[in-house]
Amino acid sequence: MTEEPGRTGATTTGAPGRGITRTSGQASAGDLLALVRSGRATTRGALQQATGLSRATVGQRLDRLFRAGWLREGAGGPVESPLGGRPSITLEFDDEHAVVLAADLDTRHARAALLTLTGEIVIEHSGSLVVEDGPEAVLGELGRWFAGLLEKAGRGIDEVCGIGLAVPGPVDRDAGRVVQPPIMPGWDGYDIRGRLARAVTERAGAAAAPVPVLVDNDANLMAYAEQRAAYPDASAFVLVKVSTGIGAGVVVDGHIFRGTDGGAGDIGHIRVPEGAQALCRCGSYGCLAAVASGGAVARRLTVAGVPAESGSDVRKLLAGGHPEAVALAREAGRLVGDVLATVVTLLNPGVLMIAGDLAGTPFLTGVRELLYQRALPRSTARLEVVTSRLGERAGLIGAGALVVEHLYAPRRVEERLSALGV
């Protein structure tokens, strides 16, 4: 079982007048690293004050982090200690000691990147990759892409601390496997983590231990990245991705809300009256995705004599101002907006973000028309309805952040330090 990113299991109480939180119990080396990474305590004195640990104990636990290469002295020089006495040397997370690999799969296209531990994309690659070809072929190709990125960046597999993967289907996060994904035939229950780890080490020519792999739904990771980047104060944040299918990611108090087994946010399979005769790829009739997704719009355009295979084709037509595509996108937006009125009433988010192939003015206009018409004024009074800030890179950045927040969460830090013999 993996730990929720950002959750340490420790409770904190405010330290009046200090701006520093105090960790309950005996703070571990992982707790100290979390305080430094968050900027809440960046000197030895501040760490003593925040945790209640003695100077000697703080020094011992920091020494472990220095020996692991995860902590370094800051370049800013000594600062005044909150405990008085001699100025203290500032501490900072050493974000250069490792890198992260991340990939974002769509139905017919994928992106892969090498990122720093702070989420900056160093180098990336994108290309055609058809998810219907199955996990063996797709993950094998991703392994080749990752090997190429490492080679171009001049980095070795031994420098990769983890791999993050965003997929267009519901994910059982504890198992790292997709569960009954409507648009990913052949992937149900497949061991994604094991196969991708093998593909990366094989292609990199390394006999090292497998690299940790974390898998999550693409809308979840897009929401995670967008909320952290532009709306950190939004206690409830909803992102709706409308591409070949429709899915939503929900972030509450800075944490992804996944539901019981990863099925939260699957709004594309809510039944709508307008789709009563429309067969969805999940096998049911009447799903929202069957009438309002990029795939559904593409099918309607094709019937109308405008060839389009997927949501990405619709996006190109919208970019060119194609009148039929514009009209159908606005109509799809109205259908989605009707469903989102219920979502907004239930969750009361501060931000509702529209992303994906159809995220443009026509679709957004349609969403707003029905959303504000159907939802109670109180539910929308403080709601921001916006489009993506990070664009096509949101899934990559979210996948990278998922890896970092997992690997450097306090409990996981202790496990990794023990494994390193530190």
Side-chain angles (χ1 to χ4, degrees):
M1 179 174 178
T2 54
E3 183 176 344
E4 175 69 20
R7 293 193 188 275
T8 66
T11 58
T12 58
T13 56
R18 298 290 185 179
I20 296 174
T21 56
R22 182 175 294 279
T23 307
S24 66
Q26 286 293 305
S28 66
D31 291 317
L32 299 191
L33 184 62
L35 287 167
V36 172
R37 288 186 64 221
S38 68
R40 289 183 292 162
T42 57
T43 65
R44 285 171 172 80
L47 289 168
Q48 285 178 247
Q49 190 177 51
T51 63
L53 296 176
S54 69
R55 180 174 180 175
T57 302
V58 167
Q60 291 168 355
R61 293 181 182 173
L62 290 179
D63 181 61
R64 298 176 69 201
L65 298 172
F66 277 112
R67 282 189 287 148
W70 300 349
L71 206 61
R72 64 189 176 197
E73 293 185 348
V79 298
E80 183 179 346
S81 170
L83 300 180
R86 292 181 300 174
S88 298
I89 300 296
T90 58
L91 305 170
E92 62 184 27
F93 179 58
D94 188 343
D95 56 14
E96 298 178 356
H97 72 270
V99 293
V100 175
L101 291 172
D104 183 10
L105 288 181
D106 210 331
T107 53
R108 306 183 66 82
H109 186 269
R111 305 177 74 88
L114 183 146
L115 300 89
T116 67
L117 296 180
T118 55
E120 297 177 10
I121 294 178
V122 177
I123 185 172
E124 64 182 301
H125 174 81
S126 63
S128 176
L129 202 55
V130 181
V131 75
E132 289 186 353
D133 287 345
E136 189 70 24
V138 170
L139 297 175
E141 184 64 15
L142 275 183
R144 286 187 281 273
W145 288 12
F146 282 147
L149 291 173
L150 288 170
E151 183 178 358
K152 289 178 181 178
R155 309 300 290 256
I157 188 62
D158 58 320
E159 298 177 80
V160 178
C161 64
I163 301 170
L165 177 64
V167 297
V171 175
D172 180 337
R173 184 169 172 271
D174 291 341
R177 303 182 185 218
V178 292
V179 182
Q180 299 177 8
I183 58 176
M184 299 178 69
W187 290 73
D188 184 25
Y190 186 85
D191 181 17
I192 295 175
R193 293 193 300 206
R195 176 67 182 99
L196 186 53
R198 290 194 303 275
V200 171
T201 54
E202 288 168 2
R203 292 293 169 182
V211 179
V213 176
L214 275 71
V215 186
D216 209 333
N217 172 262
D218 54 359
N220 283 348
L221 294 180
M222 291 170 68
Y224 192 47
E226 297 276 11
Q227 188 269 340
R228 287 162 58 93
Y231 301 95
D233 296 328
S235 58
F237 178 97
V238 176
L239 177 143
V240 179
K241 180 185 178 183
V242 187
S243 291
T244 299
I246 300 176
V250 180
V251 178
V252 177
D253 292 334
H255 304 289
I256 298 171
F257 178 76
R258 299 180 175 86
T260 300
D261 59 5
D266 208 359
I267 66 170
H269 300 285
I270 292 175
R271 307 293 175 81
V272 294
E274 294 82 357
Q277 304 303 315
L279 177 62
C280 181
R281 294 184 66 174
C282 73
S284 298
Y285 285 88
C287 294
L288 179 66
V291 291
S293 65
V297 173
R299 289 190 293 273
R300 293 186 65 180
L301 285 168
T302 300
V303 170
V306 183
E309 292 186 11
S310 64
S312 59
D313 291 333
V314 177
R315 178 177 57 188
K316 294 173 185 176
L317 291 168
L318 290 172
H322 191 283
E324 186 73 11
V326 168
L328 289 175
R330 182 165 179 171
E331 182 181 338
R334 288 171 59 84
L335 292 170
V336 173
D338 197 5
V339 169
L340 289 179
T342 301
V343 173
V344 166
T345 301
L346 177 65
L347 297 177
N348 188 212
V351 179
L352 171 63
M353 178 175 284
I354 307 298
D357 291 327
L358 266 59
T361 300
F363 186 87
L364 194 63
T365 299
V367 167
R368 285 177 168 149
E369 284 178 9
L370 263 289
L371 173 61
Y372 289 108
Q373 177 184 328
R374 298 292 171 84
L376 289 173
R378 187 191 180 287
S379 300
T380 57
R382 300 174 62 184
L383 176 68
E384 292 184 63
V385 182
V386 300
T387 54
S388 172
R389 299 291 185 88
L390 299 177
E392 294 182 341
R393 290 180 164 182
L396 289 176
I397 295 172
L402 184 76
V403 170
V404 173
E405 295 307 316
H406 169 68
L407 292 180
Y408 296 95
R411 186 168 59 190
R412 183 62 177 145
V413 164
E414 290 303 311
E415 294 172 359
R416 294 176 66 204
L417 286 174
S418 296
L420 289 172
V422 177

